[in-house]
Amino acid sequence: MSILRTPGGKRGRGRPRAGEDSARDAIVSAAEAEFAEHGYDGATMRGIAARAGVDAAAIHHHFGTKADLFTTVVDFPVRPDKALEEILAGPVDEIGVRLVTYLLVALEDKPTRRKAVSMVRTSLGNRAATPLLAGFLEREVIRKVAARIDGEDVDLRASLVGSQIGGLLIARYVLKLPALAKAPVDEVAARVGAAVQTYLAG
Amino acid sequence: MSILRTPGGKRGRGRPRAGEDSARDAIVSAAEAEFAEHGYDGATMRGIAARAGVDAAAIHHHFGTKADLFTTVVDFPVRPDKALEEILAGPVDEIGVRLVTYLLVALEDKPTRRKAVSMVRTSLGNRAATPLLAGFLEREVIRKVAARIDGEDVDLRASLVGSQIGGLLIARYVLKLPALAKAPVDEVAARVGAAVQTYLAG
């Protein structure tokens, strides 16, 4: 399912009209330029609207939030930020296992996995792309986890949660370390969940 | 310090003679070709010797072991495999914190860090380079950790140790997640050590 075709859940699956197509293209091009110039945090919906020659409401209509627009532009195959909203509403001690389970289950699907691997390769291999991914993860994932946990050094501990989950995805799907690449989702999720729990509990 | 100039600790820092220079160049070229064709595990010292037109003893003399040669060829700035020998000789419950401390302390040095980041970017960004790094890590790091721990699924648990340490390096030095990038080495090592311990203890 392409995020582009169901932005923010506000559009159906029908073929868009020609005028909407060109407005969307203009917004995507403007967003690419704005994100490249100002980074994820620095980019604004108003700046993107000005570049595209549309008003900000048109962007919200076509794409939803800044996170929705960014993940469309960079073609994210999964939405950890969306999944997180629901996961964070549950018990803190299940954040790790639930987030890992969500990602691993999503990546069981081969086209999704291929897209995710490609995105990781590009983001880490390309000096310009890395800070964009980092900015998105920091703002939309890490800080939300940090806001949900108690105790000291919540930002550091949330960053370490991210480091383990990112490292897991790279080791399993990019490096394909044999024992990890073939382990069942529930076993990996249980073990990684327990490790991540040490960060969540502080 | 270049590994190339002190291969296997068998050579001093003096300027090599001209004949040795050309033998070394031939071996490095042969090794690059052999590793590219057969991967880390499949490459043999004998195959490299045959390509270079030297005998295997000459390679051992110039470069030491296959791991020494590989890390020279790909210009590894740190030697986790070497550090691991000493770390694994100590208590199991200190493997995580000691390995993390070793790496973070080594990467406090800016040229070392720059080289490590560049190597990570190349290895993950380049489809041909990824399996080589994975093969080296699997053979020289993961399996040695697996051999040192007890209980079930030692290969999976050792791979997860690797996933956390790799993810930590990427999150701190490549993505530079703010709270993690600025945290002191000992605090990061203590927290990650505790998480890694859940894998080591099983």
Side-chain angles (χ1 to χ4, degrees), chain A residues 113-157:
Chain A
R113 185 165 68 242
R114 195 177 294 150
K115 218 163 160 182
V117 168
S118 171
M119 200 200 63
V120 168
R121 284 189 187 281
T122 303
S123 300
L124 298 181
N126 176 329
R127 204 167 281 277
T130 309
L132 273 176
L133 177 67
F136 172 79
L137 292 175
E138 172 71 14
R139 171 68 65 177
E140 306 294 349
V141 179
I142 308 289
R143 288 197 197 169
K144 288 176 182 170
V145 172
R148 180 69 180 82
I149 59 181
D150 299 316
E152 290 186 344
D153 299 321
V154 292
D155 295 316
L156 173 60
R157 286 157 48 210

Side-chain angles (χ1 to χ4, degrees), chain A residues 18-198:
Chain A
E20 296 202 354
D21 258 355
S22 69
R24 254 205 300 280
D25 290 348
I27 293 166
V28 167
S29 297
E32 285 171 346
E34 176 85 1
F35 284 126
E37 190 172 326
H38 296 293
Y40 183 78
D41 251 15
T44 63
M45 296 298 254
R46 194 152 49 158
I48 294 165
R51 282 177 195 263
V54 302
D55 64 31
I59 303 186
H60 285 293
H61 168 72
H62 284 295
F63 292 97
T65 65
K66 183 162 91 171
D68 294 331
L69 177 56
F70 179 78
T71 52
T72 298
V73 167
V74 303
D75 205 15
F76 256 57
V78 290
R79 288 293 300 270
D81 56 319
K82 290 269 184 196
L84 199 61
E85 284 173 23
E86 195 187 316
I87 291 168
L88 292 182
V92 168
D93 63 2
E94 291 177 10
I95 293 174
V97 66
R98 289 186 65 197
L99 196 50
V100 171
T101 302
Y102 159 75
L103 289 168
L104 297 190
V105 167
L107 297 179
E108 288 290 289
D109 175 60
K110 202 169 171 181
T112 302
R113 185 165 68 242
R114 195 177 294 150
K115 218 163 160 182
V117 168
S118 171
M119 200 200 63
V120 168
R121 284 189 187 281
T122 303
S123 300
L124 298 181
N126 176 329
R127 204 167 281 277
T130 309
L132 273 176
L133 177 67
F136 172 79
L137 292 175
E138 172 71 14
R139 171 68 65 177
E140 306 294 349
V141 179
I142 308 289
R143 288 197 197 169
K144 288 176 182 170
V145 172
R148 180 69 180 82
I149 59 181
D150 299 316
E152 290 186 344
D153 299 321
V154 292
D155 295 316
L156 173 60
R157 286 157 48 210
S159 301
L160 289 171
V161 171
S163 81
Q164 170 60 96
I165 292 175
L168 169 66
L169 298 181
I170 289 168
R172 182 171 165 102
Y173 300 112
V174 184
L175 294 176
K176 298 176 185 167
L177 298 180
L180 183 51
K182 72 175 186 224
V185 166
D186 56 351
E187 187 174 351
V188 175
R191 291 195 183 277
V192 174
V196 162
Q197 186 54 29
T198 69

